[in-house]
Amino acid sequence: MKALMSLGALIGVAGLLLLGGMVLDVVPSTYIRLVEGYMPIQMLLEVACYVIGFTGLSYTLNAMGMAIPRFWQGIGFWVFFLLYLKYRMYPPIPFSVRAMYGTVSLVAVFMWVSASEEDWQKFKQPIMNVLDAQTGGNRILRYLYLVLLPILIGGFSFNAMMPKSEEPIELRTVHPAPPASTKVHGKTYTLQTSQNPYRVNPEGKYDQEFSNANIVEQGMGRLMKPNANPWDDKNQGYLKYVREGGEIFFQNCHFCHGDNLNGRGLHAFAFNPIPANFTDPGTIAQLQETFIFWRVSKGGIGLPNEGFPWASVMPPWEQHLTVDEIWKVVLFEYWHTGYYPRTWD
Amino acid sequence: MGLLAGKRVFSIMALCMMVGLLLLPIVVALPSLAIGEEAPAGDAAKKDGDKVEKGRDVYYKTEGIVVGAPAPKTVDGPRDYPRYNFESRVLLWFANQQHLYYGSFVLAVPIFCMIIEFMGVVTKDKALAKRYDQLAYDFIKISLTAYSLTAILGGILIFTFLTLYPAFFSYLSGIFRPVMHIYALMFVAESGTLYIYYYGWDKMKEGFLKWIHLSMSVILNIIGTLLMFLANSWIGFMMSPAGVDEQGRYLGNIWHVIHTALWNPLNLHRILGNMAFGGGVVAAYAAYKFLASKTDEDRAHYDWMGYIAMALGVAFLIPLPFAGYWLMREVYAYRQQMGITLMGGLLAWLFIIQATMIGILFLSTNYYLWQAMGRMRGAEKYQRYIKYLVFILACGYMVFITPHTMVMTPAELKAMGGQQHPVLGNYGVMSAKNGGINVIITTTVLSFVWYMRGNKVSTVSWAKFGNIFMGIFFGAAYFNIIFLAIYGYYIPANVRVGLSVPQVATTLSCLFFMFALNSVMMKGAKQLGPIEWGKISARSQYALIMLATAFTWMMGLMGYIRSSVRLFWHVNEIMRDNSPWAYTHTVGFAANMISFNVLFFWITILFVFWLGSLGAKKVPVESKAGIPGGVPQPAASH
């Protein structure tokens, strides 16, 4: 047990040193890489390692007679987590989300330090000592707080109220709700029920299972399935349509959406926001094919009111492509990313 | 003997009367269930077959004879939208919300009474049975005053509709005409049953008569539930109309109008929601009384009452997210557009607030249970592990509340390198959120298990094996939930949606199997000390108040979301809202309005509680002897 706790303490100290280095900009935040595709679970595991490390550290210091008071444990953990979010995570997390996580962690710390009466008494003790001011040091601290706290709160208020020249916050809707139907090249498509006419099996019938079996593998490799290479001239049907869609994509779309479909094309960084990243599980993987068909056809100017502030420069592709070409390019996007379009059956 | 026989006759008569009241609306409606204008139309059809106009049901796609007028095409003006110098929609929102709060409360409390009365009847401990019975009686007494308020608020709601939205109300009542009076008669039946149930309490408190009395509570709840189903059919119709053609003309099949795409999910969601809400309100009442108590006996009584109400409320809270999930699934299936507006589009941020509230509910529950362990000797052994539960809960909570549509400045957007963050983007979608909430619920179940065995040591020979098995079971459950959450990113969306079933099954397995196993293990267990009712921290009671406030706030929020998803429609895609208020409020305004509704409800319910306490003060001292407040035991009960 002691050995385990010592190991935990070692992890804790190493982790703290690493984070300290990142805060002071001595160690780059990419020193331990967040692996693409595994970042979400990696973040949770890292924080779990820190918790284990801190437990070991606390146990070891306790055994050495240098126990950290519960009050400072609580405050310390909260500060650690805020620093972790700010300096370890990359790309940087917006302040609004950090504020949410910070609040949750503050509540969690409160729950931890007040879960039992004994812990709560321990946590409160330093505060009570200052309020009671039985010793000279505490008396000085109390006077200091009396002066500093109003100044601090005043400072925060002043800072909050002071007009700033920052760009205003935008609550942009990533996926505005589509209309029930859309008219493209004179034909009306009901988004709930329409299907991609090129998602077909060798018999020429609509077959999502068949097409799903022929898309690339998801993940970093994005390997093609055996005998499912659209650029093989012998392939007909679905894979041929994917190839045609790919040709259209590389002639029209990849300049912005990138040749990996990750939204990092040649012109991408001329725009803010940069174009949609189709490889992210939060974009086309969440949507019906008809949604993409509608967005491609109508472009940025076709966004509904709720899509405000319409920060999209995508042209209405119905003015440049035929309906068949749009369906094919949608087919290619799903094939290349390895995602399945959403269905309801 | 004669007196007893008389009572029996009286009880059976009362029960028969209730059944009669229950059947009354159906009997009245029997000659022609779908009255309306069907009969004349039918006659016309006989006279001149060619002139019969047929329409196609917008949802069921069946053909039917048009028997109703089309939905009115309203225009902004005093005829369709008369108004005071105030936003009519806000007035209606207020009246509706208050009616719903009270309606939920008076529907939930009788269900509680039924459960608690039943527990009192079946328990072998007579002192405990008496406490349960008194508790149920106290509940129904509170609900009686609230019942009057519900009716008054219902009247205000109808007047508000008639005054401010006459065209819309006229259309809706025209569509539901065949069942409008059934609804009204159900109210009569509900009132009659409630009064007999309440005033017959003392006369039927023992033996066979008690069972009759209990049966009455079952009938009372059946009527209440049917009432709610009928009311739900209106909002179901407004969201996902059926039984009418494209112009909104009634096609003569009232069952189609009632049984819309969203009716059943709404019914289930509301039953569970009402129960959780009712539990929260009663728990807050008990917490308030606990904090105001001056004697140990009172504290013991209200501590116990708060615990029972919390446990019942949470029992219905646990399946609530799953019912909500079903509702959303049906919404998506009905209209993708509606689903995206809710979960990914315009109203997505309100759903983040909702997730935050759900998290608060579960966190408060866990916190209360940990505090409650402080009143039993022997539970200290679990205290040192609580920090790990806090960590698991916090992780689940953070994933659960991560928004898909993030609030950020353009500079932050640029620094992030696009709209999709590689970490947050993954947390912001359903697969991760399902994992998050199931982790939270499983942890709550674990807290409950710890609480239930806090002051006990199992004496069964296989106790060690049982403990190891439980540990492995919970570990495997966490693993399965998290694994499925990750696996969800690698499969088609329609399969991913289905993954919620094994996740939910895992959570519910923990709930049922672990509770059952724990009960078996703790049968005849060695007691390390009694539960010292009343010796609980004040923080725990604030957690209960937090629980109730979060319930109330969340109900207000969800009602608003459900209603505003229709956007500029009174009846989705059938009747357009042409008033000047056919726009969606800002998140800030909606939050303020919900807070106002919550505040108003709590002020008025405090009045109701105060009225209830006035009655209690009048009870003669000698009759109080059996009131359970004076009996802080039995300790072993959970």
Side-chain angles (χ1 to χ4, degrees):
Chain A
M1 185 68 182
K2 208 168 179 179
L4 267 179
M5 285 297 173
S6 305
L7 182 69
L10 208 63
I11 293 170
V13 170
L16 277 178
L17 284 174
L18 264 174
L19 186 66
M22 287 171 189
V23 172
L24 299 171
D25 212 10
V26 182
V27 180
S29 57
T30 51
Y31 185 71
I32 296 178
R33 293 196 69 81
L34 287 168
V35 185
E36 194 183 345
Y38 300 94
M39 279 176 166
I41 205 72
Q42 190 180 346
M43 176 192 156
L44 289 177
L45 287 176
E46 271 186 25
V47 178
C49 280
Y50 270 109
V51 169
I52 293 166
F54 292 158
T55 309
L57 196 59
S58 169
Y59 178 88
T60 310
L61 287 175
N62 211 15
M64 290 162 68
M66 297 191 297
I68 305 171
R70 185 47 57 92
F71 178 78
W72 291 112
Q73 283 183 12
I75 301 286
F77 185 80
W78 187 55
V79 171
F80 149 77
F81 191 66
L82 294 182
L83 293 176
Y84 179 87
L85 291 175
K86 171 88 178 153
Y87 293 100
R88 164 65 178 139
M89 295 309 299
Y90 67 91
I93 299 176
F95 175 76
S96 63
V97 182
R98 267 190 291 131
M100 286 166 75
Y101 287 178
T103 310
V104 172
S105 54
L106 184 64
V107 170
V109 166
F110 170 77
M111 288 171 74
W112 162 41
V113 297
S114 66
S116 72
E117 200 53 40
E118 193 190 339
D119 277 351
W120 182 233
Q121 291 303 332
K122 275 191 210 165
F123 181 80
K124 276 196 315 187
Q125 202 53 54
I127 303 169
M128 300 311 288
N129 288 346
V130 173
L131 288 175
D132 289 343
Q134 296 292 327
T135 62
N138 281 332
R139 208 167 296 137
I140 293 169
L141 269 179
R142 191 169 69 169
Y143 285 126
L144 267 177
Y145 284 133
L146 192 69
V147 177
L148 287 178
L149 277 179
I151 293 175
L152 201 68
I153 294 166
F156 275 125
S157 310
F158 176 78
N159 197 39
M161 300 299 287
M162 191 174 62
K164 295 181 182 68
S165 55
E166 286 173 2
E167 291 169 278
I169 281 175
E170 287 174 0
L171 193 59
R172 185 172 184 267
T173 305
V174 179
H175 300 314
S181 61
T182 185
K183 200 170 188 177
V184 182
H185 288 295
K187 192 180 169 193
T188 302
Y189 295 86
T190 305
L191 269 62
Q192 188 82 0
T193 51
S194 294
Q195 293 175 328
N196 191 333
Y198 296 101
R199 191 172 286 284
V200 289
N201 58 20
E203 286 84 48
K205 287 186 182 156
Y206 181 86
D207 189 344
Q208 189 158 335
E209 264 182 45
F210 173 79
S211 59
N212 286 350
N214 285 289
I215 57 175
V216 299
E217 274 177 19
Q218 252 191 70
M220 292 173 73
R222 302 208 182 276
L223 300 173
M224 282 188 287
K225 300 269 167 61
N227 305 320
N229 179 1
W231 279 269
D232 183 343
D233 286 340
K234 280 180 279 178
N235 279 324
Q236 293 297 309
Y238 167 71
L239 287 170
K240 179 174 162 261
Y241 302 136
V242 167
R243 181 174 70 230
E244 290 169 5
E247 282 162 11
I248 299 158
F249 183 88
F250 285 108
Q251 283 163 9
N252 299 280
C253 316
H254 97 285
F255 302 106
C256 296
H257 288 285
D259 43 9
N260 273 327
L261 281 72
N262 58 1
R264 280 155 172 76
L266 200 62
H267 304 315
F269 293 98
F271 309 123
N272 191 20
I274 64 167
N277 172 4
F278 299 144
T279 62
D280 186 275
T283 58
I284 61 171
Q286 296 290 320
L287 301 163
Q288 265 185 292
E289 250 180 323
T290 48
F291 185 104
I292 319 296
F293 176 77
W294 162 69
R295 280 290 280 121
V296 172
S297 305
K298 300 297 171 187
I301 58 165
L303 282 168
N305 285 347
E306 66 159 295
F308 182 85
W310 303 294
S312 166
V313 292
M314 188 163 76
W317 284 102
E318 63 177 345
Q319 294 175 8
H320 308 278
L321 300 175
T322 64
V323 168
D324 289 341
E325 286 171 331
I326 296 173
W327 279 124
K328 282 176 186 170
V329 89
V330 173
L331 197 71
F332 169 76
E333 284 168 7
Y334 279 102
W335 176 84
H336 192 284
T337 53
Y339 289 131
Y340 313 97
R342 168 157 279 186
T343 54
W344 300 107
D345 41 50
Chain B
M1 188 68 189
L3 184 69
L4 191 66
K7 275 188 179 177
R8 278 192 182 192
V9 171
F10 163 78
S11 310
I12 292 168
M13 276 172 63
L15 190 62
C16 290
M17 196 189 293
M18 281 184 188
V19 174
L21 282 169
L22 178 64
L23 295 174
L24 179 69
I26 300 160
V27 172
V28 169
L30 263 183
S32 170
L33 193 67
I35 315 164
E37 290 161 27
E38 189 180 25
D43 291 345
K46 278 175 201 164
K47 283 174 196 164
D48 189 356
D50 293 340
K51 284 189 179 172
V52 170
E53 196 180 352
K54 287 192 172 179
R56 192 174 160 81
D57 192 315
V58 286
Y59 177 67
Y60 285 101
K61 308 294 177 200
T62 51
E63 281 211 333
I65 299 170
V66 174
V67 289
K73 292 190 178 0
T74 53
V75 285
D76 181 23
R79 187 175 60 93
D80 292 333
Y81 298 106
R83 69 195 70 152
Y84 305 112
N85 286 327
F86 200 77
E87 188 180 324
S88 300
R89 180 172 50 159
V90 168
L91 291 175
L92 192 68
W93 184 353
F94 171 73
N96 218 333
Q97 189 61 64
Q98 294 305 322
H99 179 57
L100 274 169
Y101 277 145
Y102 275 93
S104 304
F105 184 65
V106 298
L107 287 175
V109 170
I111 302 180
F112 273 179
C113 286
M114 181 179 72
I115 297 169
I116 295 171
E117 197 183 357
F118 178 73
M119 283 158 71
V121 169
V122 295
T123 192
K124 285 170 188 160
D125 184 333
K126 285 205 168 169
L128 186 61
K130 214 165 187 180
R131 289 182 74 181
Y132 279 132
D133 198 63
Q134 182 65 35
L135 191 62
Y137 183 73
D138 286 348
F139 279 177
I140 205 75
K141 196 164 63 182
I142 294 169
S143 117
L144 214 62
T145 319
Y147 191 75
S148 317
L149 260 174
T150 311
I152 293 167
L153 287 164
I156 291 174
L157 177 62
I158 290 179
F159 287 136
T160 315
F161 263 124
L162 287 172
T163 315
L164 303 177
Y165 288 89
F168 165 65
F169 191 71
S170 160
Y171 172 66
L172 204 65
S173 53
I175 294 284
F176 282 93
R177 186 177 301 154
V179 286
M180 279 306 248
H181 278 90
I182 295 183
Y183 184 75
L185 286 169
M186 293 291 278
F187 252 117
V188 176
E190 169 91 355
S191 309
T193 317
L194 181 65
Y195 287 123
I196 297 169
Y197 179 63
Y198 175 69
Y199 288 109
W201 202 289
D202 284 337
K203 287 192 186 298
M204 294 185 273
K205 60 182 171 191
E206 270 161 21
F208 173 71
L209 296 178
K210 190 65 188 168
W211 281 103
I212 298 263
H213 190 256
L214 193 57
S215 313
M216 287 180 188
S217 73
V218 176
I219 293 170
L220 175 65
N221 285 309
I222 291 173
I223 299 172
T225 309
L226 289 176
L227 253 175
M228 190 187 66
F229 285 0
L230 271 180
N232 290 349
S233 67
W234 303 341
I235 55 167
F237 177 78
M238 286 165 70
M239 284 177 82
S240 54
V244 292
D245 68 1
E246 278 186 343
Q247 295 175 48
R249 296 179 299 183
Y250 177 50
L251 299 177
N253 188 335
I254 192 65
W255 177 241
H256 279 186
V257 172
I258 292 173
H259 187 221
T260 53
L262 303 178
W263 188 53
N264 277 327
L266 275 170
N267 286 340
L268 179 69
H269 199 255
R270 273 200 160 169
I271 287 180
L272 294 173
N274 287 352
M275 291 297 296
F277 168 71
V281 173
V282 176
Y285 167 75
Y288 165 73
K289 297 289 276 183
F290 175 93
L291 292 170
S293 291
K294 292 195 169 56
T295 65
D296 286 347
E297 287 179 352
D298 280 353
R299 263 190 288 275
H301 177 65
Y302 289 114
D303 182 11
W304 179 73
M305 185 178 182
Y307 170 72
I308 297 282
M310 184 279 309
L312 282 173
V314 171
F316 290 92
L317 169 68
I318 286 175
L320 195 55
F322 310 136
Y325 193 78
W326 180 40
L327 174 60
M328 284 318 301
R329 192 175 180 276
E330 294 302 313
V331 167
Y332 263 99
Y334 171 69
R335 285 286 183 279
Q336 176 191 224
Q337 183 189 12
M338 208 179 243
I340 294 178
T341 302
L342 284 167
M343 305 292 281
L346 188 65
L347 303 171
W349 255 94
L350 294 172
F351 262 88
I352 293 301
I353 301 175
Q354 183 231 10
T356 309
M357 302 310 285
I358 292 173
I360 290 173
L361 290 177
F362 281 106
L363 258 57
S364 306
T365 306
N366 278 280
Y367 188 70
Y368 174 82
L369 289 170
W370 302 335
Q371 295 297 311
M373 281 199 267
R375 68 182 165 211
M376 46 174 109
R377 201 167 299 156
E380 303 82 23
K381 58 181 177 284
Y382 294 112
Q383 298 280 7
R384 63 193 167 127
Y385 299 113
I386 283 175
K387 55 177 171 284
Y388 302 114
L389 293 197
V390 172
F391 176 69
I392 295 169
L393 280 172
C395 286
Y397 190 28
M398 278 191 273
V399 170
F400 192 52
I401 62 169
T402 303
H404 188 54
T405 296
M406 279 176 272
V407 176
M408 50 189 159
T409 62
E412 284 178 320
L413 183 63
K414 201 162 194 170
M416 214 170 85
Q419 294 242 2
Q420 290 81 33
H421 194 283
V423 175
L424 305 184
N426 287 279
Y427 291 161
V429 293
M430 216 57 210
S431 198
K433 287 182 188 300
N434 269 345
I437 189 64
N438 277 291
V439 161
I440 291 174
I441 298 175
T442 304
T443 309
T444 309
V445 172
L446 184 57
S447 289
F448 257 110
V449 170
W450 282 3
Y451 175 81
M452 288 193 294
R453 49 167 51 203
N455 62 335
K456 293 172 188 166
V457 176
S458 177
T459 50
V460 293
S461 57
W462 46 275
K464 197 173 176 184
F465 172 76
N467 285 337
I468 292 170
F469 180 77
M470 280 180 104
I472 292 172
F473 199 95
F474 271 106
Y478 280 121
F479 177 79
N480 192 37
I481 290 167
I482 295 167
F483 168 75
L484 290 175
I486 298 169
Y487 182 58
Y489 292 101
Y490 298 92
I491 51 174
N494 57 335
V495 184
R496 181 166 63 234
V497 170
L499 273 192
S500 62
V501 176
Q503 280 181 322
V504 170
T506 308
T507 306
L508 293 182
S509 302
C510 281
L511 179 69
F512 294 119
F513 294 145
M514 292 301 100
F515 270 27
L517 180 63
N518 192 56
S519 303
V520 174
M521 281 177 74
M522 293 301 141
K523 210 166 189 181
K526 186 179 142 198
Q527 295 259 351
L528 296 172
I531 299 175
E532 296 174 276
W533 291 108
K535 290 190 177 166
I536 190 168
S537 69
R539 294 189 303 283
S540 66
Q541 304 303 304
Y542 291 116
L544 289 183
I545 292 171
M546 174 71 124
L547 192 75
T549 314
F551 268 131
T552 325
W553 212 93
M554 199 167 75
M555 264 183 77
L557 177 76
M558 295 316 291
Y560 168 68
I561 294 176
R562 189 194 43 68
S563 191
S564 56
V565 74
R566 285 180 283 111
L567 302 175
F568 45 82
W569 297 100
H570 285 311
V571 178
N572 194 37
E573 296 167 13
I574 295 287
M575 183 181 178
R576 203 182 163 107
D577 180 357
N578 287 315
S579 72
W581 308 292
Y583 62 90
T584 306
H585 280 299
T586 60
V587 174
F589 182 89
N592 284 338
M593 187 64 201
I594 294 162
S595 301
F596 174 75
N597 273 326
V598 169
L599 194 66
F600 190 88
F601 170 74
W602 278 102
I603 290 170
T604 51
I605 200 87
L606 277 176
F607 172 70
V608 171
F609 291 158
W610 175 71
L611 279 181
S613 69
L614 281 185
K617 279 172 192 163
K618 284 176 187 167
V619 176
V621 179
E622 55 270 23
S623 69
K624 263 186 133 183
I627 290 179
V631 194
Q633 300 300 328
S637 66
H638 287 291

